[in-house]
Amino acid sequence: MRIVVVGGVAAGLSAASRARRLDPSAEILVFEKGKRISYGACGLPYLLEGQVSSIEQLVVYRPEFFERERNIRIRTESEVVAVHHGRREAVLRGGERVRYDRLVWAAGARPARVSRSPRVFRLHTDEDALRLEDYLGRERPRTAAVVGGGYIGLEAATALRARGLRVRLHHDATTLLNREDPWVTKRIVERLEQCGVEVRLNEPADPEALDAGLVIDATGLRPNVEALAEAGAALGRTGALAVSERMETSLSGVFAAGDCCEARHIVSGRDVWIPLGTTANRMGRVAGANAAGGRERFEGVAGTSIVRVAGLAVAVTGLSQQQARREGFSPVEAVVEGREKAKYFFGRTISVQLVADRNSRRLLGAAVTGDEGVLARINTVAAALAARMDAETFAGIDLAYAPPYSTVTDPLLVCAGQLLRLLGH
């Protein structure tokens, strides 16, 4: 059996590796349109900032590793532009046709807009980052504008300010991170402004018309679905590929994973498109297993993520109060501030939000911001969402305590207590 995988980064290589473990005899071929495979795209802002010294530091594996250690053939600079599923063929740019028995489509996403201005850059691929680094070294701009208040926009603004540029951030909505949490946006704006970044909310901007030495266009992504859609694969409500819980598309024997496809949200139960590297890896494992004949299921996503903005950690999972209301819940929200560890261990401020449904009392989401102690707390809530915990159960969980790491009543539990009072406990 020949398994062809389109895409050689997170989802694609997870799929190929998992397929190999389940079927040692399969022929597995991976096509990647870029020059590199298996690199950490999430590290690109830190390359820009200077935390990472070269693009090669972000490369996890090279093609020869997969070929030598896993008997997986890798072809870089090979873009699949069409699929003829009736003939079980993938067509490469240039006309080459490659037969497959099973296909895993892990082609990712691309920036929603294309610019031809030499001053406008994206920060989506390794080549984007290298072009931007070259421009910064050659032109030495003093000012920068960033358009878009999502993860990449906020990280890019932070990185450029750290390099000494005067930075202005434009965002076309009143809240950042697509979260609709005013208090989270307030924390982020306060931190950016403390670091000298000018923030302009609710101000749409044309990247090519802005007056700045360079512009980062971080206005969003679009899933790479066209070739598979033309082959007959169904798209979902979000415009990404619709897949079953086995990550199979509407085309029998064709699976999809990563930023090109939807997933079920474990809180709302609806299909969503949340492009994240962690999700891509998990999806890829399931898609690869099933392409090799397995019977695995993808359990869904909560949208759990964390981003560093000028030293401030901002983490979310599940639904905000506004999002929950749109999904038909009757949400109640509690927000508290506390210390992430004992005062005499120089504990710093941490803010915690919990959202629950008034009727079922089920936890629906959370957000946590602070300089320290954020990751473990958002992961705790993410686990609670997966377990469908209600507020009472969550308020009674047994969390560890020692003064160097927490306060005697953890801020999560303080917030849970406040939530219970609002629910009428």
Side-chain angles (χ1 to χ4, degrees):
M1 180 172 68
R2 173 183 281 181
I3 300 173
V4 168
V5 178
V6 179
V9 192
L13 293 177
S14 292
S17 297
R18 182 65 175 152
R20 169 57 70 225
R21 282 191 286 272
L22 266 65
D23 188 347
S25 66
E27 180 186 2
I28 302 176
L29 180 58
V30 178
F31 292 101
E32 166 55 42
K33 70 178 182 180
K35 296 179 180 179
R36 295 176 180 83
I37 64 162
S38 187
Y39 68 90
C42 294
L44 295 178
Y46 305 109
L47 175 67
L48 178 61
E49 184 178 315
Q51 181 74 28
V52 177
S53 61
S54 75
I55 196 73
E56 298 306 318
Q57 280 192 295
L58 301 178
V59 175
V60 182
Y61 296 113
R62 289 175 170 77
E64 49 269 27
F65 169 84
F66 284 92
E67 294 172 359
R68 182 182 67 248
E69 301 294 332
R70 299 181 183 175
N71 190 25
I72 295 170
R73 187 179 172 198
I74 307 288
R75 287 181 56 179
T76 57
E77 298 184 86
S78 300
E79 183 179 5
V80 174
V81 296
V83 172
H84 297 154
H85 187 56
R87 297 194 293 270
R88 297 297 197 273
E89 287 181 346
V91 183
L92 274 63
R93 188 174 298 282
E96 181 184 353
R97 296 170 183 265
V98 179
R99 184 192 59 79
Y100 62 83
D101 296 299
R102 301 283 175 85
L103 178 68
V104 178
W105 190 263
R110 64 184 185 277
R113 296 196 293 197
V114 176
S115 173
R116 302 189 184 281
S117 170
R119 294 183 305 109
V120 179
F121 296 86
R122 300 168 298 187
L123 198 56
H124 183 60
T125 68
D126 54 341
E127 294 300 316
D128 292 337
L130 291 174
R131 283 191 293 269
L132 179 54
E133 278 290 300
D134 178 70
Y135 182 86
L136 285 164
R138 188 178 68 254
E139 301 295 333
R140 300 191 180 278
R142 297 182 178 181
T143 61
V146 178
V147 184
Y151 299 102
I152 294 298
L154 294 173
E155 290 176 323
T158 298
L160 291 168
R161 184 69 190 118
R163 291 184 70 139
L165 281 75
R166 295 197 306 274
V167 180
R168 186 173 67 249
L169 176 70
H170 298 260
H171 187 54
D172 62 2
T174 57
T175 53
L176 298 164
L177 290 177
N178 296 315
R179 184 66 182 180
E180 299 179 83
D181 267 329
W183 76 270
V184 172
T185 294
K186 183 173 183 289
R187 301 289 191 281
I188 294 172
V189 171
E190 287 173 348
R191 180 56 63 90
L192 287 173
E193 290 179 341
Q194 286 172 7
C195 294
V197 176
E198 179 185 352
V199 181
R200 298 185 181 182
L201 297 180
N202 203 26
E203 185 176 296
D206 179 357
E208 299 195 30
L210 291 173
D211 180 19
L214 73 85
V215 179
I216 303 293
D217 184 349
T219 50
L221 301 174
R222 178 179 299 166
N224 288 322
V225 301
E226 288 79 6
L228 212 57
E230 288 173 5
L235 301 182
R237 58 185 287 267
T238 68
L241 290 165
V243 291
S244 70
E245 63 183 10
R246 299 182 62 245
M247 305 309 298
E248 190 169 18
T249 70
S250 61
L251 301 176
S252 177
V254 177
F255 300 83
D259 294 354
C260 59
C261 66
E262 296 180 336
R264 183 183 62 85
H265 198 287
I266 63 172
V267 178
S268 70
R270 286 162 63 88
D271 290 329
V272 294
W273 183 57
I274 303 177
L276 291 170
T278 49
T279 303
N281 275 296
R282 292 170 54 220
M283 285 179 165
R285 286 176 55 82
V286 174
N290 293 328
R295 299 292 301 177
E296 297 188 5
R297 298 171 60 246
F298 183 70
E299 299 296 338
V301 300
T304 308
S305 61
I306 186 168
V307 62
R308 188 179 73 176
V309 184
L312 179 72
V314 182
V316 301
T317 190
L319 305 176
S320 70
Q321 185 178 36
Q322 292 86 342
Q323 291 168 336
R325 187 173 291 111
R326 279 203 305 275
E327 294 294 341
F329 295 101
S330 178
V332 174
E333 172 192 73
V335 180
V336 303
E337 283 195 353
R339 292 185 183 275
E340 42 85 25
K341 57 190 173 189
K343 184 177 181 180
Y344 51 87
F345 271 101
F346 308 102
R348 306 179 72 173
T349 299
I350 191 169
S351 301
V352 177
Q353 170 215 55
L354 291 173
V355 180
D357 179 48
R358 184 180 297 279
N359 299 321
S360 66
R361 306 176 79 84
R362 176 188 172 192
L363 278 181
L364 302 178
V368 184
T369 70
D371 295 297
E372 302 286 346
V374 171
L375 178 65
R377 290 177 171 92
I378 203 66
N379 283 343
T380 299
V381 184
L385 295 182
R388 299 178 64 89
M389 272 191 198
D390 59 28
E392 283 84 357
T393 303
F394 186 78
I397 59 176
D398 186 18
L399 298 182
Y401 160 68
Y405 305 110
S406 181
T407 52
V408 65
T409 303
D410 192 273
L412 279 180
L413 299 183
V414 174
C415 193
Q418 176 66 16
L419 187 65
L420 288 177
R421 286 189 286 274
L422 293 171
L423 287 168
H425 181 67

